[in-house]
C-alpha cells in the first residue's frame, strides 16, 4: 500500500506558492525554491518543495527532496502546525524523514494524514512512534494494514506487536500477513500464558538485531524513491549471511530431531573429533533456538536468510511454515530447502505448491528426489525433467518405489 501522489491544484497551493512553482515561473526562482532559499513561510516552503518533487521537474525534484531532508526542525514543525496541510505533503515528509521522531509524531497527530501514509510509516518508524500508532486502536482496527506493517517492523516492541495481534484476532479483523494462519494457531496455543513483558521486548530486540540494523538501509531506499516509485522493502538485503553457503551452514548447524538417530546395533557411539575452531554461527543458532514460539514466528517473517534457515528446521510447524512463507525468501534459499530431506513435510509441500518456485529447474529436480514431496506433485514434476535426470530418479533408492517405477517407464518411452 502506497500513497498515490499527484500535483496539487492552485487552490491547495495558495497564491504565494503558485506564483513560484506554476508552469512558466522563472527558472532561477524555482531553483531558489528547490534549494530552500526562497523567502517563504514554513508551510508555503514545504508545500512548494513538494510540488516541485511530485511534478518531477528536471533537476528540481531531486534537489527539492534533498532540501527537505536538511530543513531545520522548526521549519518542518511550523509547516505541520497548519491544519490544512495536504495529505500528499504529509506523506512526502514521511518518506524523506522516516527516522525523525519529532516530525513523525506531528504527522501521526495531523488530522489530514492518510491511512496509506501511516502504513508506510509503520514499517520503518522508531520504537516511540510504533507505540504512538499502536495506541490509536480505532485507527488501526479500521486499517489493518497498519498492524501488518508494525508487526514487520523490528523496532516495534514484541509486547506491543503481540497485544495488537491478539486484539485484532479477537475482533475478527482480517490481516494479510503471509503467516497469519500460523500466528492465529500460536495465539490460540499461548492464550493462557502471561502477556509479553519488557524482558520479552529486550529478548526479541537482541534476536532481531540484524533486522533492526537493516532499518536504516530501508529508510535510505525510501528517501531515494521518486514520487511515482513503489519501494519493495522486502527486497532490501537484511544483512547477515544471505549466500547459499551461509544458508547451507545454518541448515547443518540447526538442531533437528533427525540429526541424532538412536543406535540399535548395540555398538557405542564414537565421540566426534574435536573441532579445530568453534563456528561463531553456532552461538547464533543457539540464541534463536531458545526463543519462544511467538518470537520465532515473528523473526521468521522479518529475519535474514541465515535466521530463516535455522527456523525452517524448527520442530514446531507454525515456526517452520512462517519461515518458508516469508516474503523475503530468495530463490537460492528455495533451491537449498527443496533438496533438504530433514525439513518437515509441510515445508516441502508448500514449496511444491508455489508455481513461481517450481518454475526453477533445480527446484523441480530437488523436489522429485525429495521423499517428502507429495506423490502427486513429484509425478507432475517428473514429466518436466531432462532425460539424464529422469535416469537419476529411476535409480534413486531414497524415493517411493512408485515414483522410481514411473521414472523407469518414462525412460523406456523415450527410447
Amino acid at each position: 500500500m502506497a500513497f498515490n501522489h499527484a500535483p496539487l491544484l492552485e487552490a491547495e497551493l495558495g497564491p504565494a506558492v503558485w506564483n513560484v512553482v506554476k508552469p512558466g515561473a522563472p527558472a532561477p526562482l524555482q531553483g531558489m525554491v528547490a534549494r530552500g532559499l526562497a523567502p517563504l513561510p514554513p508551510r508555503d516552503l514545504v508545500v512548494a518543495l513538494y510540488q516541485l518533487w511530485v511534478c518531477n521537474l528536471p533537476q528540481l525534484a531531486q534537489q527539492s527532496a534533498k532540501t527537505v531532508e536538511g530543513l531545520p526542525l522548526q521549519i518542518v514543525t511550523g509547516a505541520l502546525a497548519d491544519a490544512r496541510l495536504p495529505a500528499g505533503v504529509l506523506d512526502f515528509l514521511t518518506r524523506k524523514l522516516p527516522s525523525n521522531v519529532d516530525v513523525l509524531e506531528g504527522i501521526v497527530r495531523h488530522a489530514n494524514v492518510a491511512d496509506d501514509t501511516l502504513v508506510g510509516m509503520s514499517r520503518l518508524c522508531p520504537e516511540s512512534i510504533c507505540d504512538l500508532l499502536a495506541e490509536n486502536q480505532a485507527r488501526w482496527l479500521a486499517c489493518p494494514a497498519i498492524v501488518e506493517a508494525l508487526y514487520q517492523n523490528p523496532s516495534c516492541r514484541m509486547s506491543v506487536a503481540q497485544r495488537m495481534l491478539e486484539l485484532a484476532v479477537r475482533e475478527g479483523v482480517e490481516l494479510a500477513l503471509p503467516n497469519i494462519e500460523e500466528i492465529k494457531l500460536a495465539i490460540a496455543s499461548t492464550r493462557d500464558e502471561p502477556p509479553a513483558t519488557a524482558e520479552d521486548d529486550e529478548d526479541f530486540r537482541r534476536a532481531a538485531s540484524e533486522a533492526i540494523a537493516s532499518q536504516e538501509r530501508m529508510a535510505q531506499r525510501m528517501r531515494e524513491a521518486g514520487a511515482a516509485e513503489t519501494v519493495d522493502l522486502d527486497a532490501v538485503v537484511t544483512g547477515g549471511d544471505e549466500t547459499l553457503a551461509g544458508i547451507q551452514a545454518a541448515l547443518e548447524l540447526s538442531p533437528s530431531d533427525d540429526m541424532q538417530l538412536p543406535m540399535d546395533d548395540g555398538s557405542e557411539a564414537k565421540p566426534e573429533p574435536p573441532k579445530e575452531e568453534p563456528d561463531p554461527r553456532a552461538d547464533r543458532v543457539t540464541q534463536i533456538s531458545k526463543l519462544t514460539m511467538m518470537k520465532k514466528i515473528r523473526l521468521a517473517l522479518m529475519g535474514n536468510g541465515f535466521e530463516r534457515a535455522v527456523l525452517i528446521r524448527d520442530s514446531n510447524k507454525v515456526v517452520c511454515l512462517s519461515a518458508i512463507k516469508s516474503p523475503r525468501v530468495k530463490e537460492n534459499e528455495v533451491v537449498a530447502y527443496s533438496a533438504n530431506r530433514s525439513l518437515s513435510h509441510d515445508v516441502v509441500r508448500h514449496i511444491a505448491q508455489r508455481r513461481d518456485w517450481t518454475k526453477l529447474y533445480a527446484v523441480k529436480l530437488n523436489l522429485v528426489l525429495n521423499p517428502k514431496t507429495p506423490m502427486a506433485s513429484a509425478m507432475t514434476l517428473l514429466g518436466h525433467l531432462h532425460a539424464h535426470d529422469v535416469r537419476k530418479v529411476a535409480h534413486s533408492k531414497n524415493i517411493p518405489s512408485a515414483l522410481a517405477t514411473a521414472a523407469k517407464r518414462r525412460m523406456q518411452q523415450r527410447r
Side-chain angles (χ1 to χ4, degrees), residues 62-369:
Q62 186 174 3
Q63 179 60 58
S64 297
K66 183 178 180 181
T67 297
V68 165
E69 294 175 25
L71 283 178
L73 179 61
Q74 58 267 32
I75 291 181
V76 181
T77 54
L80 288 172
D82 184 348
R84 296 174 298 174
L85 199 65
V89 178
L90 295 171
D91 192 85
F92 174 54
L93 293 173
T94 300
R95 285 188 178 209
K96 302 308 172 185
L97 301 166
S99 304
N100 190 310
V101 172
D102 294 315
V103 172
L104 294 181
E105 182 174 347
I107 294 171
V108 170
R109 299 186 186 281
H110 201 284
N112 289 344
V113 64
D115 285 345
D116 292 348
T117 297
L118 294 180
V119 172
M121 180 192 301
S122 298
R123 188 69 187 271
L124 292 173
C125 61
E127 180 181 305
S128 61
I129 303 301
C130 292
D131 292 346
L132 185 61
L133 288 163
E135 289 172 5
N136 193 345
Q137 290 186 5
R139 189 74 183 249
W140 59 256
L141 282 173
C143 180
I146 296 175
V147 183
E148 298 159 11
L150 285 173
Y151 184 72
Q152 296 178 81
N153 182 346
S155 296
C156 183
R157 292 183 291 133
M158 187 69 208
S159 58
V160 172
Q162 187 168 333
R163 186 168 61 249
M164 293 178 74
L165 279 179
E166 290 172 351
L167 178 58
V169 171
R170 188 164 63 247
E171 294 294 324
V173 176
E174 292 296 327
L175 299 176
L177 289 167
N179 64 337
I180 185 57
E181 295 305 319
E182 286 69 38
I183 290 173
K184 288 179 179 178
L185 290 172
I187 290 175
S189 65
T190 59
R191 187 165 292 148
D192 296 330
E193 296 182 6
T197 63
E199 185 178 349
D200 291 306
D201 294 337
E202 184 58 35
D203 194 21
F204 182 78
R205 191 177 291 112
R206 287 193 299 268
S209 58
E210 288 283 0
I212 293 173
S214 73
Q215 290 293 91
E216 180 52 39
R217 290 191 292 273
M218 292 183 179
Q220 183 59 33
R221 181 68 187 88
M222 183 63 75
R223 283 191 287 264
E224 295 169 353
E229 187 177 354
T230 300
V231 181
D232 182 5
L233 295 178
D234 291 322
V236 179
V237 177
T238 55
D241 200 340
E242 297 278 347
T243 64
L244 181 59
I247 293 165
Q248 292 284 16
L251 289 171
E252 294 169 4
L253 287 168
S254 303
S256 179
D257 294 338
D258 61 353
M259 290 181 67
Q260 294 183 346
L261 299 177
M263 304 186 66
D264 56 4
D265 58 358
S267 60
E268 296 183 358
K270 296 181 180 180
E272 294 185 4
K275 295 182 179 179
E276 295 181 1
E277 292 183 4
D279 192 332
R281 291 173 295 192
D283 291 337
R284 180 67 177 140
V285 172
T286 301
Q287 180 189 31
I288 295 172
S289 301
K290 290 181 178 179
L291 294 175
T292 63
M293 177 172 55
M294 290 296 290
K295 295 179 191 135
K296 284 181 179 179
I297 62 175
R298 190 178 179 208
L299 181 62
L301 196 65
M302 68 174 66
N304 59 30
F306 183 87
E307 292 159 349
R308 283 190 294 275
V310 173
L311 293 167
I312 205 166
R313 294 193 68 184
D314 197 271
S315 59
N316 193 314
K317 174 182 174 180
V318 301
V319 175
C320 60
L321 280 177
S322 291
I324 195 59
K325 289 182 178 182
S326 170
R328 295 180 176 180
V329 171
K330 300 176 178 61
E331 290 183 351
N332 63 339
E333 294 177 65
V334 180
V335 171
Y337 298 154
S338 61
N340 195 300
R341 297 172 182 173
S342 68
L343 299 187
S344 75
H345 288 83
D346 298 295
V347 170
V348 178
R349 184 183 301 108
H350 182 80
I351 294 173
Q353 291 173 345
R354 287 280 299 267
R355 292 188 177 183
D356 54 330
W357 289 345
T358 54
K359 288 179 181 178
L360 302 171
Y361 187 82
V363 174
K364 287 188 180 79
L365 178 58
N366 289 343
L367 287 174
V368 174
L369 291 171

